[in-house]
Amino acid sequence: MDLPLDIDTVKGFLDPAEGRALQQAAIATAALGPALEIGAYCGKSAVYIGAACKQAGSMLFSLDHHRGSEENQPGWEYHDPELWDEDAGALDTLPHLRRTLRRAGLEEVVTPIVGRSADVARVWGARLGLLFIDGGHTMGAALGDYRGWTPHLAQGGVLAIHDVFPDPADGGRPPFEIYQRALASDLFEETLAVKSLRLLRRL
Ligand code: MG
């Protein structure tokens, strides 16, 4: 599937092979319900998933508080000074997401939600076809996303988790921990592993 813009011009940490796997999952699950991603950042994954949703006649909800995860904060490994809002004294990735969606022609397909994952999960009503967890990497954040959102996944839907690193030397453990919990729950079976992305089907 062609992407609607040069994806290398969008900040973010999603590998193209991971993006394509998410696109296939979005198309395969579009009939079950809309897609939702946690952790929009500047919209790189939203372009991949959104383009697939557009083709399939589905929608993507892209959830983020847009103040950056721990590792994006000043002094941390993934801090980008270009995302700093001087007036707010904080990161603000929302203008970058909106710019990406406008450039990609996906404003009608991707609906940004600005807020905290747990708050939105608590009141969410729709059954999801695809749930992509790519939010904070603390245990509290990852576990909250897993507990709060997987109950909203339709049977046959796909749970996608990014930054799953079986070897702790490659990265932080919480995404791997929730991946392990999903498998141990007997509610999911793994269908695909691409780089640090894992896809699990809700049984
Ligand atoms: Mg990630």
Side-chain angles (χ1 to χ4, degrees):
M1 186 185 309
D2 287 339
L3 291 174
L5 83 177
D6 178 1
I7 199 71
D8 291 334
T9 63
V10 182
K11 293 176 188 287
F13 310 99
L14 192 76
D15 181 273
E18 296 172 332
R20 284 192 292 273
L22 287 169
Q23 288 195 301
Q24 282 161 14
I27 287 174
T29 58
L32 299 174
L36 183 138
E37 66 170 7
I38 304 159
Y41 199 57
C42 300
K44 183 167 260 184
S45 53
V47 170
Y48 280 104
I49 301 170
C53 288
K54 187 175 187 176
Q55 181 176 305
S58 182
M59 287 186 74
L60 169 66
F61 294 92
S62 182
L63 169 61
D64 202 313
H65 49 60
H66 286 285
R67 295 304 189 193
S69 298
E70 295 70 25
E71 69 274 16
N72 304 127
Q73 302 306 320
W76 289 69
E77 188 180 356
Y78 291 99
H79 178 63
D80 182 342
E82 288 177 13
L83 304 178
W84 191 255
D85 178 340
E86 202 59 57
D87 188 50
L91 287 170
D92 188 0
T93 48
L94 179 59
H96 300 265
L97 172 68
R98 298 209 71 185
R99 179 166 179 269
T100 300
L101 296 178
R102 176 178 51 76
R103 289 174 58 225
L106 289 172
E107 288 181 303
E108 313 272 299
V109 179
V110 182
T111 300
I113 302 174
V114 182
R116 292 155 55 89
S117 170
D119 294 337
V120 183
R122 205 173 298 122
V123 298
W124 188 260
R127 278 266 170 267
L128 299 171
L130 173 66
L131 170 62
F132 179 37
I133 297 182
D134 190 21
H137 287 179
T138 63
M139 197 58 202
L143 199 53
D145 292 341
Y146 174 73
R147 284 184 176 149
W149 284 101
T150 50
H152 297 297
L153 197 55
Q155 194 176 354
V158 168
L159 167 64
I161 307 174
H162 197 226
D163 304 307
V164 172
F165 299 114
D167 182 348
D170 295 332
R173 296 292 276 182
F176 178 75
E177 297 276 351
I178 61 168
Y179 157 75
Q180 293 283 75
R181 283 179 190 229
L183 287 178
S185 73
D186 289 332
L187 291 172
F188 294 92
E189 66 177 9
E190 184 166 336
T191 57
L192 192 66
V194 182
K195 308 248 174 182
S196 76
L197 179 73
R198 298 294 180 274
L199 300 186
L200 302 102
R201 194 170 69 92
R202 175 77 155 89
L203 299 169

